[in-house]
Amino acid sequence: MAACPAASTRRSLILALLVPLGSNACSRAGGEALPPDVEWKAHAGDAGGRRWSDLHAIDTSNVDRLEVAWSVRAGDLPPEMFDRGSHGADGIRPDGEPAAASAGAGCSGCHGQDIRFETTPLMRRSTLYVSTPLNRVLALDPATGAERWAFDPHVDVDHGYSEDFISRGVSAWDDPAADASTPCGRRIFIATIEAELIALDADRGETCAAFGQDGRVELSTDVALGGRAVDVGDYLVTSPPAVVGDVLVVGSAIGDNRRKDVESGIVRAYDVRSGSLLWSFDPIPRSPDAPGWSGWSEEAARTTGGANVWAPISADLERGLVFLPTGSAAPDFYGGERPGRNDFANSVVAVRATTGEVVWSFQVVHHDLWDYDVASQPIVLDVERGGRTLPAVLVGTKMGHLFLLDRETGAPLDPVEERAVPASDVPGERAWPTQPFPSLPALHETVLTPDSAFGLTDEERAFCSGWIARLRNDGIFTPPSLEGSLLWPGFGGGMNWDGAAWDPVRQTLIVPVKRLAMFVQLHRRNDFERGLRDRAPGLEYASQGGTPYGMTRMPLVAPSGLPCSPPPWSKLVAVDLSTGTLRWERPHGGVPERLLPQGVTASPEWGSLTFGGPLATGGGLTFIAGGMDDRIRAYATSTGALLWEAPLPAGGQAAPMTYRHNGRQYVVIAAGGRSGIGSPGDWIVAFALPE
């Protein structure tokens, strides 16, 4: 146990030198022993992805007294890259001294890519562990933020990658047979943008030499199809591996619109001690005896890549099951070269942690044409219904659908209806005729008409209305087309990597929902190659090699930069899973004045585009940031009432976590922003009640 709380930060640092490691001598002024530390042991708090803590020292009655306890810079960005003048002086310690700054590597070029600070720290054995976008790992004092050690894998920032620089966190494992003096008896694992899995000594920050090759396992081996070489920079990892006993399970992120035969979306498990490969599972079956073969043609099964697991993985430790959220098969928007239902893609697949054997799977989208991969971490939870406790897995989707599945069989616990959806008119494409619709409340509308277009002025409304009217628009699951199709929900909308939080006491799921309409268009190969010279600003494009069509896409935004879709552009929704009903919903986030035309004031009903997950606590609170306005908020979980908000030194495009250390509860969030949403930075900010 670290030092007892003292009157000042400096005094507590001095006491830390006097109190022996492991001492439990701390007590309150009257001699009462402090309560034990409460940790945050995994990316989402636990292996099941619940984003829940039963800590309740901070509750609905006192949350308005929260203040900054400490803040530090992670060090990935040079200070001159951002100006905090408009965001308040939140880089100041409570004692009035400047916040500690990590030396850091800095990112002088980063090949024009964005730095996205999406990490959620861990708190284990009185140490906070944080990963940075450049895959550095920091060990911090949980009471002060002071750095204990730092590890830098020295990723090549000058190389081009198909993703921005992202790390959503690290994983931890303790050897039950080791004591505190055993080297690497406690380990931290990080998977990098360069597709390496690295094991670190949790106490010293040094690589564990017995793991893999000098502490590292190369993940880009045996993933290329058809004898191709792996495209360096297009095969990487952005989410932490799952830890189940002595097994590490890791997926991958793939630039999947380059061509149809991108790298395999294989998921692999490694021994936590040695780094040796234990098993591998390819979501796309490669032989007739593989599970899921009936959902593919033989040619497609041999030549299609992707269906990878890039989002965080969940596990049921008691049952030894791992739940894999899979993405779409390549490419995203044309499936003519992969006819069939494409089983195991766009699914949650339950496998045994020890063997990789498939136990069950449930597909949320058949033959995906919309980039509707399962981007949210599945949530392992127990639902109370009719006096019974039902073990379940909750799967949220980009469409705003919620599927509640039996944890042991994958069977839906609520009715799911296969409904007819629009057919494709693109030559060569065979859209699947039906899609699954759950009976739980839909969190996102499925119809967007020209009359519902938003605009600050009559001219902007006319611009947006005309754009919507020109697109193919048959509601949800409108297939991509040669004239251009409206995607509503958009491929960046509904639920995404930031996921949801589960309050088991109130049986309530709290979900941030994004509401941004998107546009996608297919182009015949010759037209696509010629048209690249004249593409509009902001238009994304991909070649989709090996198919007859290239692709362009972009969000529907007005000339002012505001969305054409009606507000709120993000909302926070609470669903009572015990009754299957909507409990409340409210706009979330805000648009800062600096992003609006002169003289325009944002409405609180707009919300804003958000990326950042929620945290639910036993104090009846839901904490969440994520908006464009660089603020963190606390809502009453039961009612949705806003109880507290505070400025952050940069955008909070991450999920907060909480822990108790030396009797004090902290709420911590990474504040680093994301291109187009939050302000840039690389801060880690801790809030607590006054001591």
Side-chain angles (χ1 to χ4, degrees), residues 251-420:
S252 62
I254 297 174
D256 53 6
N257 279 311
R258 293 168 287 144
R259 57 179 193 268
K260 69 172 186 176
D261 57 345
V262 299
E263 293 80 9
S264 165
I266 193 169
V267 178
R268 286 172 289 200
Y270 296 90
D271 182 278
V272 292
R273 293 179 174 86
S274 67
S276 59
L277 181 67
L278 299 177
W279 54 260
S280 60
F281 165 70
D282 194 330
I284 299 178
R286 305 298 178 183
S287 63
D289 58 346
W293 177 262
S294 62
W296 298 80
S297 70
E298 182 174 351
E299 174 69 11
R302 185 174 60 84
T303 61
T304 302
N308 50 298
V309 175
W310 64 267
I313 297 168
S314 297
D316 180 334
L317 301 182
E318 181 181 344
R319 291 172 173 82
L321 295 177
V322 177
F323 304 102
L324 308 175
T326 64
S328 54
D332 287 333
F333 298 101
Y334 179 74
E337 307 300 326
R338 48 175 171 87
R341 196 172 48 226
N342 302 156
D343 289 0
F344 290 170
N346 303 89
S347 301
V348 169
V349 184
V351 302
R352 298 210 181 279
T354 52
T355 65
E357 171 197 2
V358 174
V359 178
W360 56 260
S361 69
F362 182 88
Q363 190 172 57
V364 302
V365 179
H366 310 316
H367 189 78
D368 183 22
L369 302 175
W370 306 272
D371 193 10
Y372 281 162
D373 42 9
V374 182
S376 300
Q377 183 177 17
I379 302 177
V380 178
L381 49 80
D382 293 326
V383 177
E384 305 293 336
R385 288 189 176 175
R388 299 173 58 209
T389 299
L390 306 177
V393 175
L394 188 285
V395 185
T397 74
K398 292 182 178 181
M399 302 85 74
H401 289 165
L402 299 175
F403 295 93
L404 192 64
L405 311 175
D406 183 286
R407 201 182 308 166
E408 296 182 342
T409 67
L413 295 176
D414 297 297
V416 174
E417 178 186 0
E418 288 284 338
R419 298 180 190 169

Side-chain angles (χ1 to χ4, degrees), residues 14-89:
I14 294 172
L15 285 175
L17 302 175
L18 304 178
V19 180
L21 280 174
S23 170
N24 274 326
C26 294
S27 63
R28 299 185 190 277
E32 177 187 351
L34 287 170
D37 282 5
V38 174
E39 300 179 331
W40 187 267
K41 296 184 177 182
H43 169 69
D46 58 41
R50 297 187 302 166
R51 296 198 178 279
W52 158 261
S53 171
D54 59 8
L55 287 176
H56 55 272
I58 303 168
D59 61 23
T60 57
S61 69
N62 60 23
V63 66
D64 60 343
R65 297 172 55 213
L66 280 182
E67 61 184 20
V68 175
W70 54 262
S71 63
V72 297
R73 280 198 54 223
D76 275 6
L77 294 178
E80 60 269 18
M81 284 194 64
F82 40 89
D83 172 18
R84 293 187 296 115
S86 61
H87 306 297

Side-chain angles (χ1 to χ4, degrees), residues 137-149:
V137 181
L138 310 177
L140 307 178
D141 185 308
T144 66
E147 185 178 290
R148 291 176 173 168
W149 57 255

Side-chain angles (χ1 to χ4, degrees), residues 16 19 60 70 92 100-101 203 253 256 355-356 381 389 394 413 430 439 465 476 536 570 579 583 587 626 633 672:
V19 180
T60 57
W70 54 262
I92 301 296
D203 297 319
D256 53 6
T355 65
L381 49 80
T389 299
L394 188 285
L413 295 176
R430 287 162 282 179
S439 56
S465 178
I476 191 172
S570 283
T579 61
R583 175 168 275 191
R633 296 173 168 87

